[in-house]
Amino acid sequence: MQGVDFRAVFRTAPNLYLLLSTDLMIVDATDAYLRATMTKREEIVGRNVFDVFPDNPADTTATGVTNLRSSLQRVLQEKKPHRMLMQKYDVRKPQSDGVEFEERYWSPLNVPVLDDAGNVLCIIHTVEDITQYVRSQRVNS
């Protein structure tokens, strides 16, 4: 499609997408992802995904970083998509909110983008936010 700005298309996609380089640096994010993670594009692009989204240091049982790192390495090695089971993530809130982290539940999918030779060019990390579902299940149980 001639004249289509694919960066604008990606950024305005309604789903939560994060584009990662093969060395796990953040290349770009959809506006929806930025809203969900309470981040700004200029503050996260060019940084390592685990530096931007660390585990909550106050949660000694947090496994989000370890599980995501494992999934991304699997995608890089196998060159196939990998869906993760429900993951609990503590998303860092902007400092003005006073509370440091907000508990979220996501179902992530990591998908390699391959070139014609089958090499991984980048990874699309997408998540389905299932936080409201998990919270409703807690209330109903």
Side-chain angles (χ1 to χ4, degrees):
M1 293 190 322
Q2 195 171 16
V4 174
D5 181 353
F6 286 101
R7 180 179 292 190
V9 171
F10 173 78
R11 288 181 174 181
T12 58
N15 296 37
L16 281 65
Y17 295 123
L18 190 63
L19 188 61
L20 301 171
S21 66
T22 56
D23 59 354
L24 307 182
M25 302 299 272
I26 298 171
V27 176
D28 210 343
T30 59
D31 295 339
Y33 193 95
L34 296 171
R35 282 190 300 276
T37 59
M38 297 172 276
T39 57
K40 295 179 182 171
R41 185 173 283 107
E42 61 273 10
E43 294 173 356
I44 68 169
V45 169
R47 295 181 57 202
N48 183 281
V49 66
F50 300 112
D51 291 340
V52 174
F53 302 111
D55 279 332
N56 179 349
D59 182 355
T60 58
T61 64
T63 60
V65 166
T66 300
N67 294 342
L68 179 57
R69 186 181 311 275
S70 175
S71 176
L72 293 171
Q73 291 302 322
R74 183 175 178 172
V75 168
L76 288 168
Q77 290 170 359
E78 297 179 5
K79 301 177 184 179
K80 293 187 220 172
H82 182 251
R83 176 162 302 278
M84 300 169 65
L85 299 176
M86 178 185 73
Q87 300 291 306
K88 176 186 164 287
Y89 291 105
D90 290 332
V91 176
R92 189 187 318 259
K93 290 179 125 185
Q95 294 178 357
S96 60
D97 286 335
V99 177
E100 198 169 331
F101 287 88
E102 181 176 309
E103 186 176 274
R104 298 280 181 83
Y105 291 88
W106 287 356
S107 178
L109 172 65
N110 297 304
V111 180
V113 176
L114 306 176
D115 66 13
D116 291 339
N119 300 308
V120 178
L121 294 172
C122 59
I123 298 171
I124 298 173
H125 169 74
T126 182
V127 296
E128 181 181 352
D129 189 339
I130 56 174
T131 304
Q132 294 301 344
Y133 172 77
V134 171
R135 288 179 182 161
S136 70
Q137 293 301 305
R138 287 181 182 166
V139 170
N140 295 328
S141 58

